[in-house]
Each structure stands twice: as C-alpha cells, then as structure tokens.
Amino acid sequence: MATIEECRAALDKLSENMRGAEGHVREAALLDRSVSCHVKDLDVTFVGRMAGGGIEVHDTVPGTPREKAQIRLALTGDDLLALVDGELHFARAWGSGRVRLEAGLRDLFHLRKLL
C-alpha cells in the first residue's frame, strides 16, 4: 500500500509532467481550477489548485474536505502511483471504476486532452 509521502511525490511528479507538456496537452494544463485528490485507502485528500500549467498542493486533510473542488479525483494510493508512472491507463481505470473523476462538463472536455 502506498504511503501519504509516496502519493504526494506522485502528485508532484504529475505536476512536473504537466508543466513540461506541449501543444493541446499544455493548453489543457493551463486551466485555473481548485482540485482535490482523495486517496481512498489512506482516507486522505490532497487539496490545492491547478494553475500555471501544474498542480499546487496546498494541504492534506483527513477524509474528504468540506468544500468540493472544481476538479475531484478519487482512487487508491497504488493506483495513483501506477497512473503517474504510466503503468495504469486512465481511460480503462476510469471506465472500470478504479478511478473516479468529477468535474464540470466544460472542464472534462479540457481534461480529456491531459488524460
């Protein structure tokens, strides 16, 4: 089982990958939205902001936060690590229910370029 520190490092790596993206992926990464990533097996949520082409994690809270972020991701810690390392295909994981992504319809259209 992944640790909180490993999950935080994976989110930092994801942010670095986003900042290094080009073309349509780079355009999608430039959204300015509140984000949360709930790691279900650890029952913690990383909250922050997608801005400047990356993700800035501001806090780690137990459970789910009171305020809903504009973009919400929920998955296990191991799936987060596998997703960021390229070992887990996002669309398949989302389709099978391993990963849950919630956002407004307009944001989902932008995010599909990232994922």
Side-chain angles (χ1 to χ4, degrees):
M1 179 162 64
T3 66
I4 291 174
E5 293 79 15
E6 290 171 324
C7 291
R8 175 60 192 259
L11 289 172
D12 290 343
K13 182 178 178 182
L14 175 62
S15 182
E16 287 175 33
N17 293 346
M18 290 170 58
R19 289 186 201 284
E22 297 177 359
H24 293 297
V25 175
R26 176 76 178 151
E27 290 174 25
L30 290 175
L31 289 173
D32 185 1
R33 301 285 187 271
S34 60
V35 296
S36 67
C37 178
H38 181 69
V39 181
K40 299 185 291 187
D41 53 334
L42 299 175
D43 197 26
V44 297
T45 303
F46 296 94
V47 293
R49 188 138 203 102
M50 178 186 235
I55 299 171
E56 302 165 10
V57 176
H58 298 151
D59 202 4
T60 305
V61 297
T64 55
R66 290 182 189 178
E67 288 187 30
K68 278 191 173 181
Q70 293 167 303
I71 299 172
R72 299 171 302 282
L73 185 67
L75 67 172
T76 67
D78 289 340
D79 284 345
L80 174 61
L81 272 60
L83 189 65
V84 172
D85 287 340
E87 298 168 6
L88 179 62
H89 189 268
F90 181 83
R92 286 188 204 115
W94 189 32
S96 69
R98 286 176 66 178
V99 174
R100 192 176 80 225
L101 174 65
E102 296 177 10
L105 188 58
R106 178 186 251 172
D107 289 339
L108 286 173
F109 282 124
H110 286 286
L111 291 171
R112 71 181 166 84
K113 297 173 190 173
L114 278 174
L115 309 168

